[in-house]
Amino acid sequence: MLGPKQEAQAALFYEFSLEDHVPQDHLLRSIDRFVDLGSIRAYLADFYSHTGRPSIDPELLIRMLLVGYCFGIRSERRLCEEVHLNLAYRWFCRLDLTDRIPDHSTFSKNRHGRFRESDLLRHVFETTVARCMEEGLVGGQGFAVDASLISADVQKQNSSNPDDWAARDIDPYDAPRAVREYLDTLDDEAFGAATTAKPKFTAHADPASQWTAARKGPAFFAYSDNYLIDTDHGIIMDVDASRSNKTAEVGAMRKMIDRTQECFGVTPDWIAADTAYGSADNLVWLALKRKILPFIPVFDKSARRDGTFSRSDFTWDADNDRYLCPEGAELKRTRQYHKDPRNKQPRTGRRKYRASKMVCSVCPAKEKCCPKVDARSVTREQFEEVREFAHQCTASEFNPTAQKRRKKVEMLFAHLKRILGLGRLRLRGPCGVQDEFTLAAIAQNLRKLAKLKPMVPAAG
């Protein structure tokens, strides 16, 4: 039979508990076990005034931000609406049904003020990493590093040539916040000091962003999100924002490795990365200065494409300081005699080895080796020994395992963009970008904790 029509009836009293209406298998229940924000009030005590109106609880703001980044709610206006309506969000934020939701402008006020002055988000991130270590999810033996391009919140139409930008008379005190942050990072290795090459375009609204065509498609303005992860379970050990070029990304890697060692006392035995990190100076930094085995393909441009012998076809004889060609002839180091003995050694650290003209002229492989010159020469780089050591690492039996584990960082970037929705930035300037990347890394670590450490069902 047809039942009665459902009509809303007002009741004088309600007995309602948020705890009973949040499912036991909800993601926020699993995450809540690992969120420890009890220390942030003491951490921020010096950044609040002792007079005036009581402030909004900073723990509430952080919990709301975590909800937004865990569920891909990028807009803070929408986040306030969702927390107001969603019972699980209210439960996670410790809000009752009658508690008011903070205005969206509160986030901007705190972000540009005490949160950045105290580096609070960094403190929360390190607390989360420490919890991952307590739960046994960090091995500390093998790390992987990579960077991913994230589109900046600017358009090409609102940009100009750097020369035109330099000609502008800009007052740093009257400039927008993103421009002031750009001026403050001109000497930073991850931004202004990363390279002396001038970009083709500079964005007016966010000049620190990089004009790049690295995706082999239409160029756009972007930042690089740099992750340093532990390869056991893909825990993000550190995160850093930089410009989107190789030099800046390598500098971010070094900063993250040193910061991880300083914060947690963890230095990996080996690290895996792609060719962008395979420059000679970076391999020297890893292998000699930090004693880390580099499972990184060497960045090498010595291979020839015209079919003639490349440098790799020649055998290095370290005992006799010479190269041996494929035919067995030796290439000796060229010596130039100068009156000034200081000019005997090349200033760049490179050494050039040359075969005898008489030997090359009668060699049967001359057309395969040096068809356009009288004698073949080979250049040996300053840190060629380190490059050869890196070649040995990538040729070892463990390298396939290291490269397989390195894919975990690429999976994290895919999750960042597809699930968390961070394909385009919402904030501008180096500080705003760092805030977004840090919050996203916190959310990913918390979700990883919830996945790998599931809740135990209650008995009965």
Side-chain angles (χ1 to χ4, degrees):
M1 60 179 288
L2 182 64
K5 182 179 179 181
Q6 182 68 36
E7 294 183 358
Q9 298 181 358
L12 296 178
F13 303 99
Y14 287 96
E15 183 178 352
F16 189 89
S17 174
L18 283 176
E19 182 71 28
D20 298 335
H21 285 75
V22 179
Q24 293 296 320
D25 59 349
H26 197 282
L27 176 62
L28 287 180
R29 279 195 179 274
S30 298
I31 289 177
D32 187 63
R33 297 174 297 142
F34 306 107
V35 177
D36 183 11
L37 302 178
S39 63
I40 66 174
R41 292 184 65 87
Y43 185 82
L44 291 174
D46 296 336
F47 296 89
Y48 283 89
S49 174
H50 298 289
T51 60
R53 294 183 301 173
S55 67
I56 296 176
D57 188 357
E59 180 177 349
L60 169 60
L61 299 179
I62 296 298
R63 283 183 174 273
M64 290 182 65
L65 288 173
L66 291 180
V67 168
Y69 277 82
C70 283
F71 291 93
I73 306 174
R74 304 295 314 289
S75 169
E76 288 165 358
R77 289 176 181 267
R78 182 175 165 230
L79 175 61
C80 293
E81 296 174 357
E82 292 292 336
V83 174
H84 175 71
L85 296 172
N86 194 300
L87 297 180
Y89 295 171
R90 278 184 172 269
W91 173 86
F92 180 79
C93 294
R94 307 296 190 262
L95 292 171
D96 200 356
L97 287 177
T98 58
D99 291 334
R100 295 187 60 183
I101 307 299
D103 188 76
H104 67 88
S105 61
T106 307
F107 294 97
S108 299
K109 185 68 175 178
N110 284 273
R111 180 190 305 113
H112 298 310
R114 55 182 63 92
F115 282 8
R116 286 184 184 169
E117 293 171 1
S118 64
D119 206 6
L120 176 63
L121 298 182
R122 181 73 199 177
H123 171 73
V124 176
F125 172 78
E126 292 174 356
T127 303
T128 306
V129 175
R131 183 60 185 270
C132 293
M133 296 175 68
E134 292 176 6
E135 296 292 334
L137 301 183
V138 176
Q141 285 79 33
F143 281 6
V145 64
D146 204 355
S148 182
L149 295 179
I150 307 294
S151 300
D153 186 28
V154 290
Q155 297 292 339
K156 179 180 179 297
Q157 291 76 6
N158 190 25
S159 64
S160 62
N161 187 278
D163 294 333
D164 299 335
W165 177 272
R168 294 169 176 261
D169 186 14
I170 300 176
D171 185 357
Y173 298 100
D174 294 335
R177 180 180 292 105
V179 177
R180 295 199 303 270
E181 293 177 5
Y182 162 72
L183 296 175
D184 292 338
T185 58
L186 289 178
D187 297 329
D188 194 327
E189 292 184 357
F191 288 95
T195 178
T196 57
K198 290 185 178 180
K200 188 175 181 180
F201 295 101
T202 300
H204 300 160
D206 192 358
S209 59
Q210 178 82 41
W211 176 255
T212 178
R215 290 180 179 172
K216 308 301 181 182
F220 60 102
F221 288 102
Y223 283 91
S224 283
D225 187 4
N226 299 271
Y227 275 1
L228 179 71
I229 72 164
D230 182 89
T231 58
D232 282 6
H233 295 95
I235 297 299
I236 303 171
M237 300 298 295
D238 207 340
V239 55
D240 198 57
S242 70
R243 297 198 67 160
S244 299
N245 58 66
K246 292 180 181 178
T247 308
E249 292 168 1
V250 169
M253 179 209 69
R254 298 181 182 181
K255 183 194 300 184
M256 291 189 294
I257 290 177
D258 287 343
R259 196 159 49 190
T260 301
Q261 199 283 328
E262 180 181 354
C263 293
F264 307 108
V266 177
T267 300
D269 298 328
W270 56 269
I271 189 168
D274 57 27
T275 314
Y277 301 87
S279 60
D281 58 339
N282 190 46
L283 295 174
V284 169
W285 188 87
L286 288 170
L288 299 184
K289 296 183 178 180
R290 294 298 180 269
K291 309 299 181 184
I292 301 174
L293 294 178
F295 289 93
I296 304 173
V298 178
F299 187 74
D300 190 1
K301 292 185 177 181
S302 64
R304 294 190 172 186
R305 300 182 179 179
D306 57 358
T308 59
F309 293 141
S310 300
R311 183 173 61 186
S312 59
D313 296 317
F314 292 76
T315 305
W316 169 244
D317 184 3
D319 295 335
N320 299 307
D321 190 24
R322 64 177 182 174
Y323 273 101
L324 297 177
C325 77
E327 295 295 326
E330 63 177 5
L331 288 77
K332 294 183 178 181
R333 185 176 176 184
T334 59
R335 295 178 175 83
Q336 297 180 358
Y337 297 94
H338 301 274
K339 294 181 180 180
D340 189 351
R342 295 175 299 178
N343 294 332
K344 290 185 179 180
Q345 299 295 333
R347 295 181 180 179
T348 59
R350 293 181 177 181
R351 292 174 290 176
K352 192 172 184 179
Y353 295 80
R354 184 181 176 89
S356 171
K357 180 179 177 180
M358 296 178 60
V359 174
C360 287
S361 62
V362 297
C363 179
K366 187 177 187 305
E367 293 299 321
K368 185 69 174 178
C369 183
C370 52
K372 298 181 180 180
V373 294
D374 296 332
R376 180 60 188 266
S377 62
V378 174
T379 301
R380 186 171 180 82
E381 302 295 335
Q382 180 180 5
F383 301 109
E384 193 64 29
E385 291 80 2
V386 179
R387 290 158 57 90
E388 291 176 353
F389 174 73
H391 278 301
Q392 295 176 5
C393 290
T394 54
S396 65
E397 296 180 355
F398 183 73
N399 184 63
T401 301
Q403 297 304 322
K404 183 178 180 180
R405 292 187 177 186
R406 186 183 68 84
K407 294 182 180 180
K408 293 182 180 180
V409 68
E410 298 176 358
M411 295 171 62
L412 283 169
F413 286 133
H415 179 269
L416 176 73
K417 297 176 181 180
R418 296 175 63 88
I419 306 302
L420 303 189
L422 192 59
R424 181 184 177 90
L425 292 163
R426 186 178 56 85
L427 304 180
R428 295 174 177 173
C431 294
V433 173
Q434 184 65 52
D435 289 348
E436 287 209 68
F437 291 166
T438 303
L439 280 167
I442 295 172
Q444 288 185 293
N445 279 346
L446 288 174
R447 290 176 65 111
K448 184 64 65 90
L449 276 166
K451 178 181 179 180
L452 299 179
K453 297 291 181 177
M455 295 181 63
V456 178

